[in-house]
Amino acid sequence: MNIEKRLVFIQSELRWWTNYVTKELRVSIQKEELIDTRELLRSLSKEVVMRTNLQSGVAKIIFNDVGRFADQGAGRGYLKGIPLQNNRSANKKGITKRPPIKWYSKNAYGTLNRLMYNFATKYSDAIIEGTKDVLENKLKNQNQHVN
């Protein structure tokens, strides 16, 4: 399989995954009724960046920080790394540690196995097909020269 075909293959799999995860995230945002749901939905976007010199690609899912805070159970005055009983500003405001709402990590990391499976099986199938094409073309060329 030549480099261009590899890049197209990688790009198509990454695009499939980002589309799939983005749809799942939209459903999860609405289901969980997160703070600023509409704003979070508007900020949700995806991007696939190909790196031809490394023959690889990067999939990015982008959204507002509010979504990250909800996923991690941070924000609302709670300072990460400081125990709540020692966090004076949070205590004054009556803030307790909020539980994480796993709308992002559950969906994104939960689908990585599917992406890896697609890469492993489809990529090996594509290599087999590419090898078959090369061999068939050589046989055709040899038969044309003999006739």
Side-chain angles (χ1 to χ4, degrees), residues 63-86:
F63 50 87
N64 285 348
D65 288 341
V66 169
R68 176 72 64 206
F69 293 153
D71 191 67
Q72 295 176 350
R76 290 190 188 163
Y78 176 76
L79 301 174
K80 282 190 111 25
I82 298 176
L84 194 58
Q85 60 272 20
N86 298 339

Side-chain angles (χ1 to χ4, degrees), residues 8 14 20-21 31 33 36-37 40 50 59 70 73 90 96 98 108 112-113 118 134 140 143 147:
V8 168
L14 289 176
Y20 179 80
V21 170
K31 179 183 168 192
E33 296 178 356
D36 297 330
T37 297
L40 187 55
M50 297 307 296
T96 58
R98 81 178 186 193
L112 281 178
N113 284 339
N118 284 353
V134 168
K140 284 180 188 177
N143 288 339
N147 293 334

